[in-house]
Amino acid sequence: QFCELHDTPGRMKAVGVIERDVAWEDSRSFFFWRLRRKLAEYDLRKKMMNAGNVGRGVSSMSAIDASSKIEEWFVSGGGTADGWKDDKRVLGWMAQNDDSLNKNVTELAKNHVSEEVFSAMSAGGMTSVVGTSGIVDGISRAMSSMTDEQREDFKRNLKNILQL
């Protein structure tokens, strides 16, 4: 009798191992969409985590943080918490918003770099001096490998941001 009750869907749902029962007739479709959604979600999550590994990765993102951020983007983009559980809906949203999601990942990377530079330059004491010197040296080295056009774009951006 113990074995009969051990791995039933009702028991597994009660202990939180599964979210819901899937009828046998619907299982192929359910798991097809679940797999497609998870693969797409993991791919996006990996991009987000890599965005946090720029430089020393002062604030690198964990897989759980990345998944939470994706859900936050989904809800802020008009989705609902219940909609987040619908694999087809989330996968469709990811496909529709691919450009926007890639821009969000780029923005995450930019924020990590900005945070890294800020930390290096505002640490105080010798750390700040060394950090500032290292940043200037890094910019100099990067500029030497740029084309003339890239160098001019960089100078223009720097001038605009610093309001020189």
Side-chain angles (χ1 to χ4, degrees), residues 39-54 60-63 66-67 69-70 73 94 97-110 112:
L39 289 173
E41 187 178 330
Y42 290 162
D43 183 52
L44 179 58
R45 194 168 75 181
K46 183 177 179 183
K47 289 178 187 176
M48 293 169 68
M49 291 167 59
N50 286 340
N53 291 332
V54 177
S60 61
M61 184 175 274
S62 72
S67 290
K69 184 58 103 175
I70 296 169
W73 290 341
M94 290 175 82
N97 294 286
D98 186 56
D99 289 340
S100 174
L101 292 171
N102 283 325
K103 285 178 186 173
N104 288 348
V105 171
T106 300
E107 190 65 25
L108 278 174
K110 184 177 125 185
H112 288 291

Side-chain angles (χ1 to χ4, degrees), residues 1 6 8 28 33 35 58 80 101 111 114 123 132 152:
Q1 186 180 16
H6 185 63
T8 64
R28 182 175 294 221
W33 289 108
L35 178 62
V58 167
T80 63
L101 292 171
N111 289 341
S114 175
T132 302
E152 289 306 313

Side-chain angles (χ1 to χ4, degrees), residues 123-135:
M126 270 314 280
T127 303
S128 175
V129 172
V130 171
T132 302
S133 176
I135 290 167

Side-chain angles (χ1 to χ4, degrees), residues 1-22:
Q1 186 180 16
F2 172 76
C3 292
E4 291 173 7
L5 296 175
H6 185 63
D7 285 333
T8 64
R11 176 71 184 132
M12 292 175 75
K13 185 175 179 182
V15 296
V17 175
I18 61 173
E19 292 178 13
R20 66 182 176 99
D21 251 337
V22 177

